[in-house]
Amino acid sequence: MSIFRQLGVEPIINACGTVTRLGGAPMPTPVLDAFAQAAAESVPLERLQAAASRQIANVTGADAGLVTCGAAAALTLGTAAILARHNLARIEKLPCTDGFPNEMIIAREQRSGYDHSVRAAGATLVEVGFNEIIANAGVRRTEVWEYEAAITHQTAGIVYVHAHDSCPGLSEIVAMAHEHDLPVLVDAAGELPPRSNLKDIPTTGTDLVCFSGGKAIHGPQSTGILCGRRDLVSSAALQMLDMDDHLELWDPPDELFDPSRVTGIPRHGIGRGLKVSKEQIVALLTALDLFASGEFDRQLIEYRRILNTVADGLSTAKANCRMLEPLTQDRWPLLEITVDSAALGRSAMEVCRALRGGSPPVYVGHAGLHEGRLQINPVCLTAAVETELTRRLLEELS
Ligand SMILES: *Cc1c(COP(=O)(O)O)cnc(C)c1O
């Protein structure tokens, strides 16, 4: 019996993707094995994070890296690093920032619920630019001069949310920020694949980058990566790790810590609540290696086969299926199902609700519901569920 059913929780068919609400990505066997092995022994976490730093640096081209408990946590830790650096008094004070620069500049069009993680460290967001295209009131995106005009003595850095069509380009923002001696923190949580982004984003010269470990990397759901400048990653590590030790005994690994930078040991920092376990770290590193080596590309053919099977099974449904091809070769397609609401007598929203309420519950991609579209993302699907999935879709679309 399903371990979830024993708890009275009904497992679902996840056709929505690696979303957090539905438990992230499936972990491959080597990742689960690594998790189990790591659970059997103890290690000092700062040593393990130093090893993680070496491996992340190797894969990303960044100077250093830290395994965090998600990209959202990486945003909080990255911001805390930018605000407090190695100043023990500031580390102690966060999220209170009285008396030191705390403004992070962000394009208005890049704001989202995830920037709460930046604010949580104590930063105040200063918005620049407009959202004219969405407002249907203009043709221009945010421009570099707008960021530059917002810089004051209170500015601590810039937050930049990476998308394939982010504008202005990251390297332009980095060049401008560095002229003003300001760091750039990049949210690239969902920007993998393409696999090339793993190196391309950190090697723009940006100061810090956040990736999710529980999305396409297929690591534990509550893992992420913060990588970039060694001094900033080091500050983030100091603010996350357990600091209950004696200064006389503290022997931190030099890849991650430079004791000459601090005059003592900070107490537990703002990141103490964002701890990540040794099992999670080891499992994430295993997944990262598999992802970086292209191991997951083998699944692309199977993903496409599943989507084609579902589409074939819906040939009589009151809906139209269309394959949405990916932007890059190492990404998977999505199956878009446009509901013929007039013929069916139900909206896409109602179909989506009925799918969730049925047996087994089916969760589909819901970004296009208001335009009458459901999406099938194959990443969390297997051949074992394709028949059930097709049957439930056909039932609700007939
Ligand atoms: C998923 C996501 C996050 C959060 O990532 P977690 O690893 O779930 O914490 C942050 N920003 C963006 C843009 C995301 O898509």
Side-chain angles (χ1 to χ4, degrees):
M1 189 188 193
S2 155
I3 197 159
F4 292 116
R5 241 180 236 126
Q6 292 172 40
L7 294 166
V9 183
E10 184 72 8
I12 64 160
I13 293 179
N14 179 2
C16 192
T18 59
V19 296
T20 298
R21 294 170 54 79
L22 303 178
M27 283 181 276
T29 308
V31 175
L32 293 169
D33 286 348
F35 192 99
Q37 281 182 42
E41 293 175 289
S42 293
V43 285
L45 282 183
E46 57 197 16
R47 302 254 152 220
L48 184 56
Q49 285 284 13
S53 179
R54 287 193 291 275
Q55 190 168 328
I56 292 168
N58 199 18
V59 169
T60 61
D63 294 340
L66 184 70
V67 180
T68 66
C69 63
L75 285 169
T76 304
L77 291 164
T79 305
I82 286 169
L83 295 175
R85 310 292 176 106
H86 282 82
N87 182 319
L88 297 185
R90 291 184 183 185
I91 287 176
E92 176 57 30
K93 242 183 173 175
L94 291 183
C96 172
T97 53
D98 289 350
F100 54 98
N102 73 337
E103 290 180 0
M104 298 287 282
I105 302 173
I106 186 170
R108 182 171 274 119
E109 60 176 283
Q110 292 189 358
R111 293 230 35 205
S112 82
Y114 292 114
D115 63 45
H116 204 144
S117 304
V118 172
R119 290 178 276 133
T124 298
L125 294 179
V126 173
E127 288 184 3
V128 296
F130 289 93
N131 217 345
E132 291 178 319
I133 296 174
I134 294 291
N136 200 19
V139 295
R140 286 161 61 185
R141 306 278 300 270
T142 311
E143 295 168 7
V144 178
W145 67 266
E146 295 178 287
Y147 283 86
E148 192 162 27
I151 296 172
T152 70
H153 64 281
Q154 270 303 104
T155 307
I158 290 173
V159 196
Y160 183 93
V161 182
H162 196 282
H164 71 93
D165 59 351
S166 294
C167 201
L170 177 57
S171 33
E172 289 174 71
I173 291 297
V174 169
M176 185 279 294
H178 288 181
E179 266 174 42
H180 294 270
D181 213 12
L182 291 172
V184 179
L185 171 66
V186 178
D187 179 355
E191 292 302 284
L192 305 171
R195 200 161 61 241
S196 53
N197 274 349
L198 208 46
K199 270 216 162 80
D200 289 352
I201 298 174
T203 54
T204 48
T206 193
D207 301 84
L208 287 171
V209 182
C210 309
F211 290 114
S212 228
K215 293 179 180 169
I217 293 177
H218 291 259
Q221 171 175 27
S222 54
T223 58
I225 292 169
L226 178 68
C227 62
R229 257 167 61 187
R230 189 177 303 274
D231 62 318
L232 290 172
V233 171
S234 168
S235 168
L238 276 179
Q239 298 187 69
M240 177 176 81
L241 289 167
D242 184 294
M243 282 293 145
D244 190 22
D245 203 355
H246 297 280
L247 183 58
E248 300 90 318
L249 296 176
W250 192 43
D251 177 26
D254 38 337
E255 293 95 331
L256 212 45
F257 301 99
D258 176 1
S260 71
R261 281 187 180 275
V262 286
T263 47
I265 318 185
R267 297 192 191 280
H268 299 309
I270 193 165
R272 178 61 180 78
L274 306 176
K275 74 174 170 187
V276 56
S277 76
K278 62 186 190 298
E279 300 84 4
Q280 289 174 315
I281 295 170
V282 169
L284 182 271
L285 294 178
T286 307
L288 181 62
D289 264 358
L290 291 171
F291 176 79
S293 70
E295 184 65 26
F296 299 153
D297 288 3
R298 296 162 188 269
Q299 286 165 263
L300 294 174
I301 294 170
E302 177 64 0
Y303 290 156
R304 189 176 289 274
R305 190 197 60 72
I306 292 173
L307 294 183
N308 279 325
T309 305
V310 173
D312 289 348
L314 296 181
S315 56
T316 60
K318 293 190 168 60
N320 284 312
C321 291
R322 183 166 76 104
M323 203 71 91
L324 301 180
E325 291 301 331
L327 289 170
T328 60
Q329 267 191 346
D330 59 351
R331 250 194 121 83
W332 49 89
L334 302 172
L335 182 67
E336 182 182 85
I337 303 173
T338 304
V339 179
D340 184 348
S341 291
L344 189 64
R346 286 210 289 182
S347 67
M349 186 71 75
E350 288 166 312
V351 172
C352 186
R353 185 183 295 116
L355 285 166
R356 290 188 189 189
S359 180
V362 172
Y363 283 64
V364 297
H366 53 150
L369 289 183
H370 292 297
E371 290 81 47
R373 294 192 292 263
L374 317 174
Q375 265 182 11
I376 306 297
N377 182 320
V379 176
C380 296
L381 297 175
T382 61
V385 301
E386 69 189 34
T387 310
E388 283 280 82
L389 171 63
T390 311
R391 175 182 68 78
R392 284 297 298 129
L393 286 167
L394 190 59
E395 275 172 11
E396 299 300 341
L397 291 168
S398 297

